[in-house]
């Protein structure tokens, strides 16, 4: 039958991903290219752990994701965001950032993604829930990545609340109580689109929150520049939320913030 690594190569190809089945923030997620990398990645998991490990195909493509509300077998409400870079790359000394997309500018992308959401949640026979679904943007079509029936992580709930006035935490509680969530009009065009950046220590130099605030206008920002600042997933020591009525300008601002953060303001 061969080694587990060889069986995975036969099924998933020469490059694949392994990660915890109940992962958080892409922690202990590894892209595998060789038997040695496979063994090194497995060593990150404690031997006595009851956390299951999953393997999946690796897709080298940009990622978008849908945060949504599934109710009565239908997509009650959804929004779509694009990652600055793939979470698996951000977890390896990169930056996790994302911004909400304008449905008017990406009508075909929304149509394809919502079709995938219907197919995935329908095949899972998902109960009424809040979900987070990640999708790869390949050249000819969208490819389903993964779906989590849970409240999304990072700052997605806050960004959606600011952009659309939809509180996903409140929606999750309502659905758990058998109630229908409020304020979920799907065709509402927001006045401003929001995005977030998980801020980290720069590669060189030193930054403070005041440095960020002098360079950019934020809706919200917190940055802990102290030497003993606790470090979270993706090297996070702070976070920022920005907005703009124009999605393309919002994307440009997020790219500029990431560069400012990484280079220490250079």
């Amino acid at each position: 039958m061969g080694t587990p690594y060889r069986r995975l190569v036969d099924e998933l190809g020469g490059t694949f991903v392994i990660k915890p089945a109940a992962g958080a923030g892409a922690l202990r997620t590894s892209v595998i290219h060789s038997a040695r990398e496979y063994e090194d990645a497995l060593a990150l998991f404690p031997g006595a752990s009851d956390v299951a490990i999953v393997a999946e195909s690796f897709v080298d493509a940009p990622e978008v994701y849908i945060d949504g509300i599934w109710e009565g077998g239908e997509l009650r409400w959804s929004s779509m965001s694009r990652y600055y870079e793939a979470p698996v790359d951000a977890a390896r000394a990169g930056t996790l950032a994302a911004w909400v997309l304008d449905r008017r500018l990406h009508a075909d992308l929304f149509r394809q993604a919502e079709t995938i959401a219907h197919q995935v949640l329908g095949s899972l026979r998902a109960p009424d829930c809040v979900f987070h679904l990640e999708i790869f943007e390949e050249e000819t079509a969208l490819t389903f990545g993964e779906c989590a029936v849970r409240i999304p992580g990072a700052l997605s709930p806050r960004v959606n609340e600011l952009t659309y006035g939809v509180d996903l935490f409140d929606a999750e509680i309502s659905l758990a109580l058998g109630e229908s969530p409020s304020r979920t009009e799907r065709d509402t065009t927001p006045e401003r689109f929001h995005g977030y950046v998980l801020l980290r220590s720069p590669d060189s130099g030193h930054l403070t929150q005041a440095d960020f605030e002098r360079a950019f206008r934020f809706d919200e920002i917190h940055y802990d520049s102290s030497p003993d600042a606790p470090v979270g997933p993706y090297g996070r020591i702070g976070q920022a939320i920005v907005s703009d009525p124009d999605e393309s300008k919002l994307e440009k601002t997020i790219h500029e913030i990431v560069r400012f953060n990484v280079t220490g303001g250079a």
Side-chain angles (χ1 to χ4, degrees):
M1 292 292 293
T3 65
Y5 169 74
R6 176 48 54 189
R7 291 198 295 271
L8 289 172
V9 169
D10 291 341
E11 184 174 346
L12 301 175
T15 302
F16 58 91
V17 175
I18 66 168
K19 61 184 181 181
L27 294 176
R28 290 185 291 178
T29 296
S30 301
V31 180
I32 306 302
H33 305 86
S34 66
R36 176 60 183 271
E37 289 184 357
Y38 177 71
E39 295 299 328
D40 290 345
L42 288 183
L44 298 176
F45 295 85
S49 173
D50 60 356
V51 176
I53 302 172
V54 298
E56 59 186 34
S57 300
F58 173 72
V59 181
D60 185 12
E63 286 188 50
V64 295
Y65 63 85
I66 295 179
D67 293 320
I69 299 172
W70 179 259
E71 184 181 21
E74 295 294 334
L75 193 57
R76 172 74 181 275
W77 178 87
S78 66
S79 74
M80 188 184 302
S81 301
R82 176 172 283 126
Y83 282 120
Y84 168 78
E85 63 181 332
V88 68
D89 294 325
R92 296 178 296 187
T95 299
L96 188 70
W99 62 94
V100 173
L101 299 181
D102 187 339
R103 183 182 293 269
R104 297 166 300 181
L105 301 178
H106 308 280
D108 188 56
L109 180 65
F110 272 81
R111 179 187 57 78
Q112 293 182 62
E114 289 177 350
T115 296
I116 290 175
H118 271 280
Q119 292 172 343
V120 170
L121 293 163
S123 65
L124 291 173
R125 297 181 180 178
D128 294 350
C129 62
V130 170
F131 70 91
H132 176 83
L133 186 150
E134 300 194 348
I135 302 170
F136 296 101
E137 290 184 272
E138 298 190 274
E139 290 186 4
T140 57
L142 299 183
T143 301
F144 166 63
E146 63 182 11
C147 180
V149 180
R150 57 174 173 78
I151 295 176
L155 297 181
S156 291
R158 180 64 178 148
V159 165
N160 278 300
E161 182 181 3
L162 289 169
T163 302
Y164 295 102
V166 175
D167 187 332
L168 292 175
F169 290 105
D170 183 68
E172 179 73 7
I173 293 171
S174 295
L175 291 171
L177 295 174
E179 302 172 355
S180 184
S182 60
R183 296 198 62 181
T184 54
E185 299 85 357
R186 293 187 59 204
D187 297 327
T188 301
T189 299
E191 294 182 0
R192 300 181 71 85
F193 295 89
H194 291 75
Y196 70 84
V197 181
L198 299 191
L199 304 172
R200 62 181 183 84
S201 295
D203 289 344
S204 61
H206 179 74
L207 288 173
T208 67
Q209 181 164 317
D211 294 325
F212 283 98
E213 291 174 329
R214 279 191 293 267
F216 303 97
R217 178 175 296 178
F218 296 95
D219 291 70
E220 298 177 9
I221 183 172
H222 173 73
Y223 187 76
D224 189 346
S225 57
S226 62
D228 58 348
V231 180
Y234 304 103
R236 173 183 184 173
I237 59 172
Q239 64 275 336
I241 294 178
V242 291
S243 66
D244 198 286
D246 186 325
E247 182 221 310
S248 62
K249 292 181 180 178
L250 173 61
E251 177 182 0
K252 181 174 182 292
T253 298
I254 287 179
H255 280 251
E256 290 173 350
I257 292 171
V258 171
R259 182 181 181 281
F260 184 88
N261 186 193
V262 171
T263 63

